[in-house]
Amino acid sequence: MKSCKDPFGRRLTTTTGGYDNRVQENVTYHKELVTLAESLGLNTATRNTIVTALNVPDDVDILFLLSVPNTLKEILLKSARLLVYTPSNEHFGIVPLEAMLAGLPVLAANTGGPLETVVDGKTGWLCPPDNVESWTAVMNKVLHTTSDKELKKIGDAGKARVKKEFSDTKMAERLDAIILGMANADRKSAQELTSFLLTIAILILDTAYYYASKFEGVKKKLGGLLLPPFVLSIFSLMSWAG
């Protein structure tokens, strides 16, 4: 969701995202958002092409853009004042990075991926997903009291962060470091693993032997062959430790 001006200078809020009418969740969610907006007395419109998006009525408050082309997405990112990223516990989230790379401040949930990508108070803001007041306070500040100069400072910080921490080169370096760390990590040999598993098996067998030796019938059959309890386990553990 972005607050921006259309090419004619009108202020409106756009809700943009991937949309597939074959996916019931997409269809249902869009209808819920339209119903919610209209219940609050807001006029809405839904578009999915550049031409139709540029020709919305003057009284539209919220414009829903479904699966917009990259060209229109870039126009929106450059003209917006704030990108609102609502998912909670998102595993990473590429949208905030796209916004910051375009110099656009981000407001996101303080869970999941945004905790890694967005720096609260520097490249945007992070708010609890269920705290409506904190979200509206940030949006109100950005739209009504924050100067263009202040927003540009935040946008520039976001762009610098993306280039420094999340570029192709940086991500490749992190992946290389992870792979090298795995390759250099100490590992138990197959022989050590086998010995360990054999020791566990002997411990289990020795425990069963101990309880079986309690019975008089077993004692009589084994006679002098009866070993003290857990002798095998002790030798096995000494061998493993050595």
Side-chain angles (χ1 to χ4, degrees):
M1 183 167 66
K2 310 171 185 70
S3 175
C4 58
K5 291 183 179 180
D6 70 7
F8 303 103
R10 293 174 296 179
R11 178 73 64 188
L12 73 158
T13 297
T14 65
T15 299
T16 310
Y19 182 88
D20 188 338
N21 56 18
R22 296 170 298 180
V23 179
Q24 186 59 39
E25 183 181 8
N26 289 177
V27 176
T28 302
Y29 191 47
H30 173 232
K31 288 182 178 178
E32 287 180 357
L33 290 175
V34 171
T35 301
L36 175 60
E38 292 178 346
S39 70
L40 297 173
L42 300 171
N43 294 322
T44 71
T46 299
R47 303 288 187 269
N48 54 13
T49 67
I50 295 179
V51 175
T52 56
L54 294 179
N55 290 279
V56 294
D58 293 339
D59 62 346
V60 169
D61 300 302
I62 297 181
L63 174 61
F64 292 95
L65 300 175
L66 311 181
S67 296
V68 299
N70 286 333
T71 302
L72 180 53
K73 182 174 69 175
E74 291 172 2
I75 293 174
L76 290 170
L77 290 174
K78 291 178 180 178
S79 62
R81 290 180 66 84
L82 179 70
L83 181 133
V84 181
Y85 189 67
T86 58
S88 59
N89 296 314
E90 187 74 1
H91 60 283
F92 182 73
I94 195 65
V95 174
L97 292 183
E98 290 181 310
M100 289 192 291
L101 187 60
L104 178 62
V106 175
L107 168 59
N110 62 352
T111 61
L115 288 172
E116 179 182 356
T117 55
V118 180
V119 180
D120 189 36
K122 184 175 180 181
T123 67
W125 298 268
L126 297 171
C127 293
D130 56 352
N131 190 329
V132 178
E133 291 76 13
S134 62
W135 289 72
T136 54
V138 172
M139 287 187 275
N140 181 66
K141 179 174 67 174
V142 171
L143 296 178
H144 301 112
T145 64
T146 306
S147 67
D148 291 342
K149 183 178 180 180
E150 290 175 300
L151 285 181
K152 185 178 185 306
K153 181 180 179 181
I154 296 173
D156 289 343
K159 184 184 297 186
R161 177 168 173 76
V162 173
K163 291 181 177 180
K164 180 182 178 182
E165 300 294 338
F166 301 100
S167 65
D168 292 345
T169 301
K170 189 65 177 182
M171 298 295 279
E173 289 176 354
R174 288 182 178 177
L175 182 59
D176 285 343
I178 293 173
I179 294 174
L180 288 174
M182 294 172 61
N184 295 329
D186 292 334
R187 299 182 182 181
K188 296 292 185 182
S189 65
Q191 184 177 0
E192 290 176 314
L193 179 60
T194 301
S195 298
F196 175 73
L197 294 176
L198 182 60
T199 300
I200 297 298
I202 292 174
L203 285 169
I204 295 173
L205 180 62
D206 235 358
T207 301
Y209 174 81
Y210 170 75
Y211 285 106
S213 66
K214 296 289 185 179
F215 295 96
E216 290 298 326
V218 175
K219 287 182 179 180
K220 290 180 180 179
K221 287 183 179 180
L222 293 177
L225 296 176
L226 191 64
L227 297 174
F230 301 109
V231 170
L232 294 177
S233 296
I234 292 172
F235 279 116
S236 180
L237 290 171
M238 289 174 62
S239 174
W240 171 252

